[in-house]
Amino acid sequence: MKFLMQTIIDIANAVFKPIIDLGAAPIMLIVLTLLALLFGVKFSRALEGGIRLAIALTAIGDIINLLTTAYQKPLVDFVKSTGIHLSITDVGWAPLGTITWGSPYTLFFLLIMILLNVVMLVLNKTNTLDVDIFDIWHISFTALMAMYFGANLFVATLLILYIGALKIVNSDLMKPTFNDLLDAPDENPMTTTHLNYMMNPIIMVFDKIFDKLFPWLDKYDFDSAELNKKIGFWGSHFAIGVYLGVFIGLLSKQDVQTILTLAFTGGTCLELFSLIGSWFIAAVEPLSQGISDFATKRFKGRTFNIGLDWPFIAGRAEIWAAANVLAPIMLVEALVLPGNHIMPLGSIIAMGVTPALLVVTRGKIIRMIVIGAIEMPIFLWAGTLSAPFITGVAKQVGAFPAGVGSGTQIAEATKEGPIEQFLAYLVGKASEGQIEFIIYAALALIAYGLIFWWYAKQMKKRNAEYAAAKESN
């Protein structure tokens, strides 16, 4: 068995390593172009879609970096003013991605996830073809963490097969909500299997509690598009970005020039996010048409979805509004939360948190902020828990960030998949034969499946409501 596993790992490295080394945008250009060609799209149209997607991903990444860089120093100043020091340094997602892709096992896990997706498609257990192969590092991170804490490769593989199957099912469940949020037709193929949306079941629990206890707060909520219609520029993406920049600047006691720079940077970024969101739709149009034609001929009209990275929904201003309001809240929580040792700086713009909040609440900004504040401790505790693993592996593969003291632990405060990190820890410890951890791991895995089953029922009800509304129109 060990020899077979090693052989599969070697094959995965030989096939995928040269492609992965190109980076996310080139990977998606190649993948989307090849897929479109496989579904009968003309080469020029297929290549056009691939280039558009690569440009959209590059633009989104650059703008996120711009926003994070601009806002990080004022928030660091805010932290320094508190006089409190936490021992784990938040280095953001990039070093973690480098660390994970530095492991030869990641390509093995990529191969496993591709096979799982194909099997589920053939067995009609999903309609989503996951093409976001770069972000497989999130689920690989989970498997590697389980192995760090004691699991063998076989157990770690079983764990991510379990999680992977649920996140693929989740991509189908979310599809009508994405159509609603994007105001897109049913033919829109875009969805995602990104691991940050596996927080949806936990968020939905809080959302249902919100329905019971605080429904009156919804009357104070606003939709950015509707607000824009009513009050023009003052409700636009530009203006919302300006408000948030001023808020962060005042909170961190910046001078007038810095506050204005933050305001204009925020306005620019939010407006560009909205613009670039439309590029994703144009990018997948050739593939969408090819899949539609193929399904009509071969599968009696069966509809297929395309699993992309999460930023195709980045045009919704609520993601950024909630992220910027949650930033200072997360800082305050980090300072007072028992058991937390990580200072959220590198991932202070919480992209691992707000996309899932958007989907479950359907853009209700007050709910996003309240529920985000409630769930933030889960991320902080997960970051604290994973720090020894991240630090140890970073030093092993030579990816420990320069400028960080060698005796300092590193992590990411808003790493996608915090629940999965707890599962990895428990499964790893259970693999060492400790009876209490075996019990804890079994109960946690059962609870993980049961809450997802409940969440799936709620989403199916929501999707039935979408379908009924379309029929009535």
Side-chain angles (χ1 to χ4, degrees), residues 100-339:
T100 307
W101 277 115
S103 168
Y105 290 109
T106 294
L107 294 172
F108 166 72
F109 296 134
L110 170 59
L111 179 61
I112 292 297
M113 288 297 103
I114 289 173
L115 293 174
L116 173 65
N117 191 199
V118 170
V119 169
M120 292 180 69
L121 282 165
V122 171
L123 297 179
N124 205 18
K125 299 300 181 183
T126 183
N127 289 317
T128 296
L129 177 63
D130 186 12
V131 303
D132 184 22
I133 62 175
F134 183 80
D135 281 321
I136 194 67
W137 76 265
H138 291 292
I139 203 163
S140 175
F141 180 96
T142 304
L144 293 171
M145 184 172 170
M147 294 170 69
Y148 176 86
F149 284 109
N152 59 35
L153 180 60
F154 179 71
V155 171
T157 301
L158 289 179
L159 174 63
I160 64 165
L161 282 170
Y162 178 47
I163 296 170
L166 294 184
K167 77 185 186 82
I168 291 172
V169 170
N170 191 36
S171 67
D172 293 317
L173 294 171
M174 294 187 292
K175 178 64 169 55
T177 300
F178 285 132
N179 288 349
D180 181 43
L181 292 170
L182 294 168
D183 194 23
D186 291 340
E187 297 75 36
N188 162 48
M190 293 187 298
T191 185
T192 181
T193 62
H194 203 288
L195 195 62
N196 63 20
Y197 292 100
M198 288 305 288
M199 276 301 288
N200 287 11
I202 302 296
I203 296 170
M204 184 159 281
V205 170
F206 291 121
D207 193 57
K208 294 299 181 183
I209 294 172
F210 207 108
D211 283 339
K212 298 293 184 183
L213 300 181
F214 310 109
W216 51 272
L217 273 175
D218 285 340
K219 67 182 180 182
Y220 300 108
D221 215 312
F222 66 91
D223 176 271
S224 59
E226 290 298 321
L227 189 62
N228 190 22
K229 291 177 184 176
K230 292 178 181 178
I231 61 176
F233 171 81
W234 304 106
S236 66
H237 295 96
F238 277 126
I240 292 171
V242 169
Y243 305 151
L244 293 171
V246 171
F247 172 71
I248 296 296
L250 291 174
L251 178 77
S252 55
K253 300 178 181 179
Q254 303 297 306
D255 57 41
V256 173
Q257 181 181 358
T258 302
I259 291 173
L260 291 174
T261 299
L262 291 172
F264 300 148
T265 300
T268 299
C269 289
L270 260 67
E271 185 65 25
L272 288 176
F273 281 131
S274 177
L275 172 65
I276 294 167
S278 65
W279 297 359
F280 284 89
I281 297 175
V284 299
E285 185 181 348
L287 176 57
S288 174
Q289 187 59 53
I291 289 176
S292 177
D293 294 342
F294 179 82
T296 300
K297 293 177 182 177
R298 305 290 179 87
F299 291 95
K300 299 179 180 178
R302 180 180 170 188
T303 301
F304 290 94
N305 306 320
I306 304 299
L308 299 172
D309 198 354
W310 74 265
F312 71 86
I313 198 71
R316 293 289 303 211
E318 296 91 344
I319 286 180
W320 310 102
N324 283 283
V325 174
L326 285 172
I329 294 173
M330 177 165 51
L331 284 171
V332 172
E333 289 184 350
L335 299 177
V336 300
L337 183 67

Side-chain angles (χ1 to χ4, degrees), residues 290-444:
I291 289 176
S292 177
D293 294 342
F294 179 82
T296 300
K297 293 177 182 177
R298 305 290 179 87
F299 291 95
K300 299 179 180 178
R302 180 180 170 188
T303 301
F304 290 94
N305 306 320
I306 304 299
L308 299 172
D309 198 354
W310 74 265
F312 71 86
I313 198 71
R316 293 289 303 211
E318 296 91 344
I319 286 180
W320 310 102
N324 283 283
V325 174
L326 285 172
I329 294 173
M330 177 165 51
L331 284 171
V332 172
E333 289 184 350
L335 299 177
V336 300
L337 183 67
N340 172 60
H341 300 292
I342 185 170
M343 176 60 73
L345 294 175
S347 57
I348 192 65
I349 305 299
M351 289 303 91
V353 180
T354 52
L357 289 166
L358 175 77
V359 168
V360 175
T361 67
R362 289 184 275 194
K364 294 177 180 176
I365 190 66
I366 293 177
R367 290 195 184 212
M368 290 177 68
I369 293 169
V370 171
I371 296 173
I374 293 171
E375 69 168 347
M376 201 65 71
I378 299 174
F379 286 85
L380 294 171
W381 283 324
T384 299
L385 178 67
S386 64
F389 155 65
I390 296 168
T391 305
V393 176
K395 291 179 177 179
Q396 287 176 9
V397 302
F400 193 81
V404 178
S406 59
T408 303
Q409 290 190 332
I410 60 172
E412 182 186 0
T414 57
K415 169 74 181 71
E416 290 88 339
I419 301 299
E420 290 73 20
Q421 291 175 61
F422 287 113
L423 290 177
Y425 173 78
L426 292 173
V427 168
K429 289 296 185 181
S431 299
E432 296 179 335
Q434 301 178 55
I435 187 64
E436 65 271 28
F437 277 107
I438 292 174
I439 294 171
Y440 294 153
L443 291 175

Side-chain angles (χ1 to χ4, degrees), residues 36-53:
L37 290 173
L38 286 173
F39 284 103
V41 178
K42 289 185 358 181
F43 176 77
S44 60
R45 288 278 289 153
L47 182 61
E48 176 189 341
I51 292 174
R52 284 180 181 271
L53 183 58

